[in-house]
Amino acid sequence: MKEITITLTRYKEPNWLLFQTLSSLAQQKNIRATVLMLDQQDDKETKEYCAQLTTTYISFVRKKIEAVWLSFARNQAIALCNTDILLCIDADAIADEQRAYELTETFSYDDRIALVWGKILPKFHAAPPFLMQLNFVYDMYSLLDRGNEVAPFSKVVGASYGIHIARMWKEAYLDLQLWRKPWVLLWGEETDLCMRAKALNLLIYYTWKAVVYHQILPERLTYIWIFKRTYRGWYSRAVQWGMPQPNSMQKKTWHLFFGLLLAPIYAGWYLRGWRLKKSMLLLSKEPTHEKK
């Protein structure tokens, strides 16, 4: 039985939400794992709950860390990991019982596979708005559905993915200059991780068999939230990584119709980001003049 490490961190998520994720990890099948619960809150109840979940094959290690942000915690997990494979999951995602096994198995398909991810489906806590069904909005909730396939893909989504640390070696880290923070418009640490994997001629794979359900709370199911989140996502994409690539496949023709209607808005946001990127590149090429 393969031995792996699973990690999650809690930044501000409440216990009732976090405990659903922890409980789903305790029910993983056909795997031997250590769950690193890196808590960014000092909470006795969580510590006791993790101790109760430990079984013969799944052990829980809860560690209090500095309250910084998600990518900081995942770098901590990489440093603490004693296995070749580290699986990451968000604190508001519920894992299917075969999720850890299927992600781990995918690494065995090719010894060049460095990153794997699975299907991320929504679990709504309120009725979603109509536009939620559009493909690009689906992406903004860190959801993923590439259909029922196991195949190479170009990136991973932060809510659920795995890293083969032994294959990534020194490149197994998240760039903390790119993490998403409330006061910063740009992000892209997982995209950067994927780019570094590709530079090493390593592969990224998607598997439909590894499923998690991303919980979407009512405060995120508003048009204002969608508008702000989409703007930040597209703007960041333009500045840092180029053209976007949908996480999920279009299933209905009306998706394309609404996509065309919203294309001018996207083009404006993307152009703003592209201009900023161009000005940043020009500044970096300007010669410096030292005083004599």
Side-chain angles (χ1 to χ4, degrees):
M1 189 178 292
K2 190 74 173 180
E3 187 169 348
I4 63 166
T5 303
I6 304 171
T7 189
L8 73 158
T9 186
R10 182 255 299 275
Y11 184 61
K12 290 184 178 180
E13 290 84 0
N15 282 357
W16 68 267
L17 192 66
L18 172 67
F19 287 5
Q20 292 182 55
T21 303
L22 291 170
S23 178
S24 73
L25 297 179
Q27 298 172 41
Q28 295 299 292
K29 304 296 184 182
N30 305 315
I31 205 78
R32 185 183 295 273
T34 297
V35 177
L36 284 176
M37 199 276 123
L38 301 181
D39 203 342
Q40 299 182 65
Q41 292 187 25
D42 193 3
D43 182 65
K44 182 180 179 181
E45 185 182 7
T46 301
K47 183 177 181 180
E48 293 174 349
Y49 189 72
C50 286
Q52 295 170 11
L53 290 174
T54 294
T55 65
T56 304
Y57 297 107
I58 312 289
S59 62
F60 284 75
V61 177
R62 186 259 182 191
K63 182 179 176 63
K64 172 68 172 65
I65 64 171
E66 183 182 356
V68 181
W69 205 250
L70 176 61
S71 294
F72 170 80
R74 286 184 174 167
N75 279 347
Q76 296 282 308
I78 291 169
L80 292 169
C81 184
N82 293 319
T83 60
D84 289 344
I85 294 172
L86 175 69
L87 305 184
C88 303
I89 187 170
D90 277 1
D92 58 356
I94 299 173
D96 178 81
E97 64 181 17
Q98 292 292 337
R99 180 253 182 184
Y101 171 78
E102 295 295 348
L103 285 179
T104 302
E105 277 295 291
T106 305
F107 282 114
S108 67
Y109 293 174
D110 191 308
D111 60 11
R112 295 177 299 153
I113 298 176
L115 298 166
V116 297
W117 61 333
K119 187 174 291 190
I120 307 171
L121 302 176
K123 181 182 179 182
F124 297 113
H125 285 246
F130 176 73
L131 284 181
M132 171 61 216
Q133 300 176 61
L134 290 176
N135 209 23
F136 75 87
V137 177
Y138 202 77
D139 294 352
M140 293 301 107
Y141 287 101
S142 298
L143 301 173
L144 165 72
D145 186 355
R146 298 294 301 178
N148 293 347
E149 64 178 5
V150 179
F153 198 52
S154 61
K155 60 179 181 177
V156 299
V157 170
S160 175
Y161 67 96
I163 308 173
H164 200 296
I165 296 177
R167 294 173 185 172
M168 288 289 293
W169 198 40
K170 292 183 179 180
E171 297 300 323
Y173 69 90
L174 295 167
D175 188 341
L176 298 189
Q177 298 299 315
L178 298 173
W179 68 25
R180 184 166 69 236
K181 299 178 282 293
W183 59 92
V184 178
L185 189 62
L186 306 179
W187 71 81
E189 59 271 45
E190 279 92 13
T191 305
D192 173 71
L193 177 66
C194 293
M195 292 175 69
R196 285 186 277 112
K198 294 173 188 176
L200 295 173
N201 294 317
L202 297 173
L203 302 176
I204 303 163
Y205 257 67
Y206 161 83
T207 175
W208 69 276
K209 299 177 183 180
V211 181
V212 301
Y213 298 90
H214 203 185
Q215 303 206 63
I216 302 175
L217 303 182
E219 54 265 30
R220 293 188 173 189
L221 291 170
T222 66
Y223 285 117
I224 292 176
W225 190 94
I226 292 173
F227 184 87
K228 290 180 178 179
R229 181 68 171 82
T230 305
Y231 169 68
R232 289 166 65 95
W234 288 351
Y235 182 85
S236 183
R237 168 66 58 173
V239 173
Q240 298 183 84
W241 314 118
M243 293 299 292
Q245 184 175 7
N247 298 335
S248 306
M249 295 181 290
Q250 300 283 9
K251 298 180 178 65
K252 298 179 181 179
T253 54
W254 63 266
H255 286 218
L256 179 60
F257 172 74
F258 277 95
L260 291 173
L261 288 180
L262 295 168
I265 301 175
Y266 163 75
W269 290 346
Y270 187 87
L271 181 61
R272 183 185 174 195
W274 181 82
R275 285 174 174 170
L276 174 60
K277 180 179 180 179
K278 185 176 180 180
S279 65
M280 290 167 64
L281 289 173
L282 289 174
L283 286 173
S284 65
K285 293 179 180 179
E286 287 184 359
T288 57
H289 301 281
E290 296 181 1
K291 291 183 179 179
K292 297 183 178 180

